[in-house]
């Protein structure tokens, strides 16, 4: 029996960036079934084989382990709610998600960037999962960007690339650093704000920010972009990322409980609104990416999965 810490092992596996899929089939009585998985891989071009790994913890495990047909749907950027539905919703999942049926009556998710209809090639037990190898009988795809997953969080490369696209003008990049049920903030004469660094360009923001925080004695793991906005008055572009730090806070940062975030005075109304939103979203781990200016913008879901 392995002596590895299961939680640490899961975190280490989670460092590998993947896409997100929904795997579907039908039970013997015709009931449609589906679950969210990032344990997906191509296997062979000739014959056309792929694999997914349903876990034994699934209520539908037996149906998938013994199915004759199944489908794999690779989700698109913006389909976080589809993923969440098939990851945890206990009711009729297919009533909440637009779909259609393939030639064998297996549901295919509308809007997925690739869909593979498969016959089961082989089904093999593998510890607490099953290796389900399928031979692709039909497929469809689009050019839309895919939904990513790493470190327990979704990420959207299309949105992040747009947000971090190099441009002229002064840039400020900061990090909302989680530490348990608190965040690390710095107090200035104008009020509180996340730790940040000023830059003259928007390229290599992550590396510059990581170096700036390390210089202040704070070792962080930077996550997805959380808020991007332009301040027309100052001509400054602001980018804030989610991050976490297991311990330590340097000499200039304060550890502030999530419950205290609404009570603080911040350096600007835009920072106050961002931190208030973070305080709300941190309770459910349903985060959003804000894109806009200091007054108006849109929030795109970045939901964290467990």
């Amino acid at each position: 029996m392995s002596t590895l810490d299961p939680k640490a092992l899961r975190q280490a596996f989670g460092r590998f960036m993947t896409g997100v899929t929904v795997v579907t089939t039908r039970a013997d009585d015709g009931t449609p079934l589906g679950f969210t998985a990032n344990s997906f891989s191509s296997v062979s071009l000739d014959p056309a084989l792929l694999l997914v790994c349903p876990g034994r913890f699934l209520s539908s495990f037996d149906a998938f382990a013994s199915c004759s047909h199944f489908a794999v749907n690779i989700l698109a950027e913006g389909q976080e709610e589809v993923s969440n539905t098939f990851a945890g919703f206990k009711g009729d999942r297919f009533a909440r998600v637009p779909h259609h049926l393939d030639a064998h009556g297996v549901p295919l998710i509308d809007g997925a960037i690739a869909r593979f209809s498969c016959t089961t090639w082989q089904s093999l037990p593998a510890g607490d999962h099953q290796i389900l190898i399928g031979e692709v009988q039909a497929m469809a795809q689009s050019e839309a960007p895919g939904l990513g997953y790493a470190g327990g969080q979704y990420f959207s490369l299309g949105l992040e690339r747009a947000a971090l696209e190099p441009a002229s003008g002064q840039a400020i990049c900061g990090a909302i650093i989680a530490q348990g049920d608190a965040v690390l903030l710095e107090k200035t004469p104008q009020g509180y704000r996340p730790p940040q660094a000023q830059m003259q360009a928007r390229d290599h923001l992550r590396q510059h920010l990581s170096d700036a925080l390390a210089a202040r004695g704070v070792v962080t793991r930077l996550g997805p972009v959380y808020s991007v906005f332009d301040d027309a008055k100052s001509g400054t572009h602001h980018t804030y990322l989610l991050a976490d730090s297991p311990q330590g806070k340097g000499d200039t940062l304060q550890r502030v409980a999530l419950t205290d975030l609404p009570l603080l005075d911040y350096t600007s109304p835009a920072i106050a609104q961002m931190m208030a939103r973070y305080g709300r979203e941190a309770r459910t781990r349903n985060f959003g990416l804000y894109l806009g200016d200091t007054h108006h913008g849109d929030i795109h879901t970045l939901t964290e999965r467990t």
Side-chain angles (χ1 to χ4, degrees), residues 286-300:
N286 291 328
F287 295 115
L289 166 60
Y290 175 86
L291 297 174
D293 57 30
T294 54
H295 301 290
H296 304 287
D298 298 312
I299 296 176
H300 306 265

Side-chain angles (χ1 to χ4, degrees), residues 185-188 190-193 260-268 271-272:
L185 299 177
E186 61 181 353
K187 187 176 183 180
T188 74
Q190 293 76 36
Y192 285 89
R193 69 185 184 192
D260 291 337
L261 292 180
L263 308 177
L264 302 180
D265 292 325
Y266 292 96
T267 54
S268 72
I271 298 297

Side-chain angles (χ1 to χ4, degrees), residues 143-165:
E143 297 299 323
L147 179 63
Y149 190 70
Q153 292 180 330
Y154 298 121
F155 63 88
S156 299
L157 287 177
L159 291 174
E160 289 210 10
R161 284 171 179 164
L164 299 178
E165 186 179 22

Side-chain angles (χ1 to χ4, degrees), residues 197-283:
Q198 186 169 308
M199 307 168 194
Q200 294 304 313
R202 289 167 56 183
D203 54 334
H204 307 298
L205 286 184
R206 285 181 178 273
Q207 187 60 54
H208 290 319
L209 178 60
S210 182
D211 293 344
L213 293 172
R216 299 172 64 175
V218 183
V219 178
T220 62
R221 292 188 291 262
L222 295 178
V225 178
Y226 183 67
S227 186
V228 178
F229 58 89
D230 292 307
D231 187 336
K233 185 176 181 180
S234 64
T236 305
H237 180 83
H238 295 253
T239 303
Y240 292 90
L241 285 72
L242 296 179
D244 65 86
S245 180
Q247 59 185 2
K249 57 183 179 61
D251 297 328
T252 60
L253 301 183
Q254 296 183 18
R255 192 172 186 273
V256 179
L258 294 175
T259 53
D260 291 337
L261 292 180
L263 308 177
L264 302 180
D265 292 325
Y266 292 96
T267 54
S268 72
I271 298 297
Q273 292 173 9
M274 178 178 70
M275 295 310 302
R277 178 168 68 89
Y278 177 85
R280 294 191 302 269
E281 294 176 347
R283 299 189 191 102

